[in-house]
Each structure stands twice: as C-alpha cells, then as structure tokens.
Amino acid sequence: MIVTYNSNKLVFNGLEFYPSAVVSKPRVEVQGGDMRSFFTLVMTDPDVPGPSDPYLREHLHWIVTDIPGTTDASFGREIISYESPKPSIGIHRFIFVLFKQKRRQAVVVPSSRDHFNTRRFAEENELGLPVAAVYFNAQRETAARRR
C-alpha cells in the first residue's frame, strides 16, 4: 500500500504532517492484488482526544471497501467519508489499515466515528488480519507553525 497526500507527500511510519497538509483525502494505491481481488481501507486516530488519555479511541476518519487490487481507493466504495485530521492535544497517530476481502461485500456501517474498533470491525465483516498498515503523526498547528 502506498499512501500519498497532494500527489507528492509520501506517508511512512512516524513522519509528521501539519494538519493543513492532509485536508484533502490521500491517494491510496493497493499493490500485490489483481483485478479479481478486493480490499478494505480503514483510517483511524487511536489518540482522541489526546495521547495521554485517549478515552474516545479509536476515532474513525475513513472507510473504503471493494477497492480492486492494483488500483487505488478512488475506485472503491466510500462507506465513511474522509474526515481530515484535526488533533487538539498532543501528537496523534493517524493509521491506515488495509484488509484483503474474501469477495465483494457489504459491510456493517459504523454508527459513530468515536469509539470505533478496527479489530472488531474486521471480525464483524470477516476481513481477517491486515495485509498492510502505515501511519503518520500530526499535532495541532499553531499560527506560528503555519507561516
């Protein structure tokens, strides 16, 4: 899986982005599949409202299903629309997890973005273990940092 923001900012583990750089949804390319395989992408923030007391974890930012192998998420079905990261306290992790589906399928749509559980979502929808994952960090942008 290759995740890029604004067509040139590659996401890799631990990289920090300003929230203003991740407002638009990224391009998420799926590799290692074929046109007969399908994938589900989940993006969450496990550090809400803050990393020292993340009692709302996980906060759901995006779900796309039925992504054909060898394409990108724009060819899938967006189940939960992209919500741009807006961390308020501390440094947050924003995690992309990719699952290989057994077939095209309808998924159980989460009722809330807060208190989401990626593991439970995968179990409820028979997705198995993730086949790829990557995360970036972001923290609140002060006026001085935006200049």
Side-chain angles (χ1 to χ4, degrees), residues 13 24 45 74 76 83 122 134 136:
N13 289 338
S24 299
D45 175 356
S74 67
E83 179 181 87
V134 67
F136 68 89

Side-chain angles (χ1 to χ4, degrees), residues 93-140:
R93 296 164 292 165
F94 294 90
I95 302 168
F96 296 89
V97 182
L98 188 70
F99 297 94
K100 186 171 184 183
Q101 299 172 202
K102 294 177 180 159
R103 62 197 168 286
R104 269 188 191 263
Q105 66 188 72
V107 299
V108 178
V109 178
S111 58
S112 170
R113 288 183 185 262
D114 286 328
H115 303 291
F116 181 75
N117 184 307
T118 301
R119 187 172 283 144
R120 187 173 49 237
F121 176 79
E123 288 170 4
E124 288 172 353
N125 292 287
E126 300 177 4
L127 294 172
L129 295 174
V131 294
V134 67
Y135 78 96
F136 68 89
N137 295 324
Q139 59 185 309
R140 190 168 145 215

Side-chain angles (χ1 to χ4, degrees), residues 1-115:
M1 171 174 62
I2 298 172
V3 180
T4 50
Y5 277 95
N6 305 319
S7 74
N8 64 350
K9 294 183 172 116
L10 182 65
V11 173
F12 57 88
N13 289 338
L15 181 68
E16 185 169 346
F17 282 107
Y18 291 128
S20 59
V22 293
V23 171
S24 299
K25 64 180 148 186
R27 177 178 168 89
V28 179
E29 297 174 66
V30 175
Q31 299 180 318
D34 57 37
M35 292 307 287
R36 291 185 312 265
S37 53
F38 296 95
F39 295 84
T40 293
L41 173 72
V42 176
M43 178 188 176
T44 66
D45 175 356
D47 301 318
V48 174
S52 61
D53 186 19
Y55 62 88
L56 294 176
R57 78 169 70 186
E58 300 167 54
H59 183 78
L60 180 60
H61 281 268
W62 198 24
I63 295 179
V64 183
T65 65
D66 293 337
I67 304 167
T70 71
T71 67
D72 66 76
S74 67
F75 290 95
R77 249 181 3 162
E78 192 174 63
I79 302 299
I80 298 292
S81 62
Y82 179 78
E83 179 181 87
S84 62
K86 294 178 186 81
S88 57
I89 304 166
I91 298 171
H92 290 237
R93 296 164 292 165
F94 294 90
I95 302 168
F96 296 89
V97 182
L98 188 70
F99 297 94
K100 186 171 184 183
Q101 299 172 202
K102 294 177 180 159
R103 62 197 168 286
R104 269 188 191 263
Q105 66 188 72
V107 299
V108 178
V109 178
S111 58
S112 170
R113 288 183 185 262
D114 286 328
H115 303 291

